[in-house]
Amino acid sequence: MKRYILLPLLAIAFTTQAQDTYMNERLTNNSGEVIGTARYVGMGGALGALGADMSVISWNPAGIGLYRKHDVAFTFGGTWGKSSIVEENRGKGTIDQAGFVFNIKTGNETCPYLNLAFNYQKKLNYNQNFYADNNNLYGLSQMDQVAELTDWDQGWQENLAGMALENGYFSTGKNANGEEYHYNRYSSSANEYTHHSEGSLKAIDLNMSTNIKNRAFIGLTIGVDNLNYNSWTYYREYDMDGYAKYDLNNDYRITGTGVNVKLGTIVRPFENKPFRFAFVVETPTWFRLTNSTLFDLSRGDHYGGTRIDPWESYLKFNLRSPWKVRTGIGSTVGSVLAWDIDYEFAAYAGTHLGYPNDDSWDGAGNIKDVAMNQFTRDILRGTHTLRTGIEVNATKSLAFRVGYNLSTSAYEKNIGFDQYNLNSATMDYATSTNYMRLGNTNILTLGMGYRYKKFYVDLAYKIRNQKGDFYAFDTSFAQGDTQFTADNPELSGLTIDPVGVDLTRQTITCTLGFKF
């Protein structure tokens, strides 16, 4: 197989351990997640028009403007998930929220209240474990793709292709014209894949909001996000006789911070009616992040049992998440019932990748990754999120809640993987070939709350369901008129089916609070 600079597959192939579209979407897409106080979770996050909850600070800043008392709250709980491939449950404790609202009575008839708030809250939970074994590779191999992507004339490369090339994972030969080529050596029957990740995207939100004659509420939130993602992946491939050919291990970490701004309003259009309308705009989050990876290859015992010393890959990059707009309606029925419906549109096709410009005087410049950003626009689309929630007050002290969320997939359908001619710098640091296209997210929540004088305790249960199609590697190298199909005509046109992964996760949340 000949290698011509960076072939089109490169941008799509090295995904989980490269800073490409798939990983960037996974790190920043919190539209299909609800984390916060137990009341907020119990309502499915649908408090954008109702407000008066600490966690609404990140969804609609104007919701803090409805407070008329000080409030202090702390939220903790546990989460666990089960893979559909292997019956396995792993639980983990979590601290989801901590914050306060400081209520100032101004004595002004126009703006009777001014509220200041601080809140720490998780936005995404990266804890995830799954297996994605595939017993039908039909003779295709991950190394076929890596060989197709290797720049044979470039010399040393700080990625998986460089490691495989330097350590003799490819065979060479000459065709009838005497031209050297690199051919398939790794005809494979099956593979194993294990993924374990942990960490979270956390936010510290600072809010200022006000109340205008109890008819309009305006709020501004400045958010500082902290991203900490850690994963370990293991890939093993078997030959046609069932012997383990090689293992690939990746220890992967991304850390960094970002900032964003949210501006929101809530309006009561009818003076004597509790009906409310909400509108919110959230800017992108501008991240400065660092990606570091430790990876190694080792041959199976049947192939000599050699292990390669780990290599380290390191990359600094800038990431800009999409703009988001939200709207919502809500109302109350006396003191017995409250309901809320919220909608969000997030333009994920506008996610933007770049790199620090070390030549600028302060190192703060940004070099755009033009090819990867165009690829993002091609395969991602805007997501639509619908949140609904109902709260019923059984007594003055006891309340029950239920919520439901639907968030659509960020991926375009029926997009091929062999039509993009990319030359992206991030691929020089790619250390794996797998990717996963995630589907819609459905969330169902149940909750209850109890008030005693100034104290309150809330409980919530959440089940979050999302499925994905996992590919260990892309098989476009075996499609059409390629060097691979010329060298291996018996494998021409073959593809591997994706492995379905169920990422269902359940959570129990408890909030302790004091309102005075």
Side-chain angles (χ1 to χ4, degrees):
M1 297 169 223
K2 291 183 179 179
R3 178 70 174 88
Y4 303 97
I5 309 178
L6 289 173
L7 292 182
L9 257 303
L10 192 52
I12 328 154
F14 293 142
T15 55
T16 298
Q17 269 63 47
Q19 217 46 57
D20 73 345
T21 297
Y22 293 93
M23 175 55 83
N24 293 338
E25 187 273 337
R26 185 184 302 181
L27 290 174
T28 62
N29 187 352
N30 67 316
S31 296
E33 185 57 281
V34 178
I35 303 176
T37 66
R39 179 174 180 250
Y40 182 78
V41 174
M43 291 282 287
L47 286 170
L50 290 176
D53 184 272
M54 201 88 68
S55 287
V56 81
I57 192 173
S58 64
W59 181 264
N60 184 358
I64 302 298
L66 279 85
Y67 271 94
R68 298 187 179 183
K69 294 181 179 180
H70 308 307
D71 190 12
V72 179
F74 174 74
T75 303
F76 60 96
T79 180
W80 67 99
K82 183 172 73 174
S83 165
S84 62
I85 307 302
V86 174
E87 294 295 321
E88 179 175 342
N89 282 275
R90 293 187 181 182
K92 190 176 183 69
T94 177
I95 296 176
D96 290 339
Q97 178 273 333
F100 65 85
V101 174
F102 185 67
N103 176 259
I104 303 172
K105 297 177 177 62
T106 66
N108 185 290
E109 291 185 2
T110 302
C111 297
Y113 299 99
L114 176 65
N115 293 328
L116 305 175
F118 168 90
N119 193 52
Y120 155 85
Q121 186 166 297
K122 283 188 179 178
K123 299 173 71 173
L124 274 174
N125 191 333
Y126 298 135
N127 296 332
Q128 195 177 85
N129 302 281
F130 65 85
Y131 300 85
D133 303 344
N134 192 332
N135 294 319
N136 297 300
L137 298 187
Y138 310 114
L140 302 177
S141 170
Q142 177 193 55
M143 281 299 159
D144 295 330
Q145 184 183 16
V146 176
E148 189 76 20
L149 301 171
T150 300
D151 190 344
W152 305 100
D153 300 323
Q154 179 177 326
W156 186 81
Q157 298 169 263
E158 192 180 350
N159 56 22
L160 176 59
M163 175 176 280
L165 178 62
E166 184 168 302
N167 289 278
Y169 272 71
F170 308 124
S171 293
T172 60
K174 293 186 178 181
N175 60 22
N177 297 324
E179 299 172 333
E180 185 178 275
Y181 67 94
H182 305 269
Y183 61 91
N184 172 43
R185 166 184 173 183
Y186 289 94
S187 183
S188 300
S189 62
N191 63 27
E192 295 177 357
Y193 180 84
T194 300
H195 172 95
H196 170 75
S197 62
E198 58 186 20
S200 61
L201 178 63
K202 307 181 184 76
I204 294 177
D205 290 319
L206 304 174
N207 174 278
M208 181 173 67
S209 54
T210 190
N211 173 332
I212 303 175
K213 292 188 175 182
N214 293 320
R215 294 287 303 278
F217 308 86
I218 301 173
L220 175 72
T221 295
I222 298 175
V224 179
D225 289 1
N226 178 266
L227 191 153
N228 184 17
Y229 176 87
N230 296 277
S231 75
W232 173 81
T233 63
Y234 165 78
Y235 178 84
R236 168 173 283 186
E237 197 163 279
Y238 294 89
D239 65 17
M240 302 303 288
D241 295 321
Y243 292 105
K245 296 192 306 183
Y246 68 90
D247 297 338
L248 171 63
N249 290 280
N250 271 283
D251 289 307
Y252 185 59
R253 185 179 185 189
I254 299 177
T255 58
T257 58
V259 295
N260 59 68
V261 178
K262 295 171 274 284
L263 179 66
T265 62
I266 296 175
V267 178
R268 290 176 53 231
F270 310 110
E271 183 176 1
N272 297 318
K273 301 292 184 181
F275 178 81
R276 302 163 190 174
F277 170 80
F279 182 76
V280 185
V281 175
E282 179 176 337
T283 71
T285 301
W286 289 271
F287 287 102
R288 295 189 64 127
L289 302 170
T290 299
N291 169 338
S292 60
T293 308
L294 194 68
F295 63 106
D296 66 74
L297 276 170
S298 59
R299 288 191 174 90
D301 292 338
H302 185 70
Y303 291 85
T306 59
R307 183 179 180 87
I308 299 172
D309 290 336
W311 286 15
E312 186 171 6
S313 176
Y314 183 83
L315 175 68
K316 290 184 177 180
F317 64 100
N318 301 323
L319 183 63
R320 188 187 71 203
S321 70
W323 284 88
K324 299 178 181 180
V325 293
R326 305 182 183 108
T327 187
I329 56 175
S331 188
T332 60
V333 180
S335 60
V336 177
L337 183 143
W339 61 269
D340 191 294
I341 301 174
D342 290 343
Y343 167 80
E344 176 193 82
F345 175 78
Y348 277 96
T351 303
H352 188 278
L353 178 67
Y355 312 98
N357 183 2
D358 293 331
D359 293 331
S360 62
W361 69 272
D362 59 355
N366 186 63
I367 301 172
K368 297 179 181 179
D369 192 324
V370 176
M372 187 61 69
N373 292 332
Q374 181 59 54
F375 180 68
T376 298
R377 288 190 289 272
D378 289 338
I379 74 166
L380 293 188
R381 58 187 176 184
T383 63
H384 305 274
T385 300
L386 180 68
R387 293 181 169 188
T388 60
I390 297 174
E391 181 178 59
V392 177
N393 293 316
T395 69
K396 290 184 178 180
S397 300
L398 184 63
F400 295 95
R401 307 171 185 113
V402 61
Y404 172 74
N405 277 202
L406 170 64
S407 187
T408 60
S409 172
Y411 294 95
E412 291 282 1
K413 295 182 179 179
N414 303 319
I415 294 292
F417 298 100
D418 60 346
Q419 57 184 317
Y420 304 99
N421 187 8
L422 302 185
N423 187 359
S424 171
T426 186
M427 293 304 120
D428 293 336
Y429 303 87
T431 63
S432 188
T433 63
N434 58 76
Y435 62 93
M436 182 161 58
R437 294 168 61 90
L438 296 173
N440 295 346
T441 302
N442 289 273
I443 297 176
L444 177 65
T445 64
L446 300 171
M448 62 179 296
Y450 181 76
R451 302 293 188 268
Y452 178 74
K453 296 182 179 179
K454 297 180 180 180
F455 295 91
Y456 61 91
V457 56
D458 293 311
L459 296 173
Y461 166 78
K462 175 182 70 178
I463 181 168
R464 180 184 186 275
N465 176 263
Q466 185 179 36
K467 292 182 171 66
D469 288 334
F470 177 88
Y471 298 80
F473 55 90
D474 189 85
T475 58
S476 296
F477 61 86
Q479 315 305 313
D481 185 16
T482 67
Q483 187 66 47
F484 177 87
T485 57
D487 297 340
N488 305 276
E490 73 282 4
L491 300 178
S492 177
L494 289 178
T495 62
I496 58 173
D497 296 325
V499 177
V501 175
D502 187 343
L503 302 176
T504 297
R505 182 188 300 140
Q506 301 177 70
T507 304
I508 292 178
T509 302
C510 176
T511 296
L512 303 176
F514 182 67
K515 190 174 290 189
F516 59 101

